[in-house]
Amino acid sequence: MRRLVLWVLLLIPVLSPAEAALPPLEMMLADRALGSETAKVTIIEYSSLTCPHCADFHRETLPQIKAAYIDTGQVRYIVRDFPLERRALAAATVARCLPPDRYFGFVDMLFRDQQAWARGDNLLADLKVRAQLAGLSAADFDACISDKGLIDGIQAKAAEGSTKNGINSTPTFLVNGTTLSGALPYDDYRAAIEKALDKAH
């Protein structure tokens, strides 16, 4: 994973703090979540932004889970980065430089046109255009993508997921601690959520 940091850092120049105004590192690395903090069930997804199965889940299944369980206060959904290669790491880095209230909209955009930016010839230019659409300035983008503290932090949290929770592929989900792997049919997630809700009562 250390090489991924170097690949990203070598791509663009490092800007001085005066040229950019990113959020504090702790805020950028904090969990991104949807749903009530008092929900009885928590789903944690380990996701890689270049993973096609992750894109399938976010496009097709997460909206169903959100409507049935997250918006109704029964489930809290947390996404954690588990970048599998350098393009995913770069995209995750940019996503975390956005304000938390813009994070999920940006990630949704990345998943919806994943083929375009994840396989394009100029990754940074493709990400920069999308980040600017989400409200990140050009200077902030350049500072963000070269922020070693943020890159190291993302990779450290991914390593922690691997060590503590046995994560080795994406998408992987923990539903109140029970592991589900892969982009499964909605009914599989529904069954796991209902089982966790029953146990929580």
Side-chain angles (χ1 to χ4, degrees), residues 127-176:
L127 288 177
K128 192 169 194 173
V129 167
R130 288 159 176 78
Q132 288 180 297
L133 288 173
L136 196 68
S137 72
D140 284 354
F141 175 89
D142 292 343
C144 170
I145 201 70
S146 61
D147 189 321
K148 189 176 184 298
L150 177 56
I151 294 167
D152 284 346
I154 291 171
Q155 293 185 111
K157 284 180 175 288
E160 182 181 29
S162 180
T163 301
K164 288 189 175 181
N165 296 316
I167 308 301
N168 56 26
S169 63
T170 59
T172 298
F173 305 85
L174 301 178
V175 183
N176 274 14

Side-chain angles (χ1 to χ4, degrees), residues 13-116:
V14 177
L15 299 182
S16 68
E19 295 175 277
L22 297 178
L25 181 60
E26 182 179 350
M27 181 183 298
M28 291 193 290
L29 288 171
D31 280 341
R32 298 296 186 257
L34 297 172
S36 172
E37 293 183 2
T38 61
K40 295 184 180 298
V41 173
T42 298
I43 298 175
I44 300 173
E45 179 194 3
Y46 287 87
S47 179
S48 179
L49 286 166
T50 54
C51 159
H53 297 300
C54 299
D56 289 343
F57 170 79
H58 278 258
R59 286 194 307 258
E60 299 169 15
T61 310
L62 181 57
Q64 297 180 72
I65 295 173
K66 186 174 183 297
Y69 296 104
I70 298 172
D71 292 346
T72 58
Q74 300 176 83
V75 165
R76 182 166 177 80
Y77 165 77
I78 297 170
V79 63
R80 292 181 181 165
D81 297 306
F82 198 84
L84 297 177
E85 41 76 56
R86 70 179 186 90
R87 287 176 175 257
L89 175 59
T93 302
V94 175
R96 289 191 167 272
C97 289
L98 289 165
D101 62 351
R102 296 182 186 174
Y103 174 84
F104 283 101
F106 182 68
V107 166
D108 183 64
M109 177 171 61
L110 291 183
F111 277 132
R112 288 187 181 280
D113 70 345
Q114 186 185 73
Q115 291 294 318

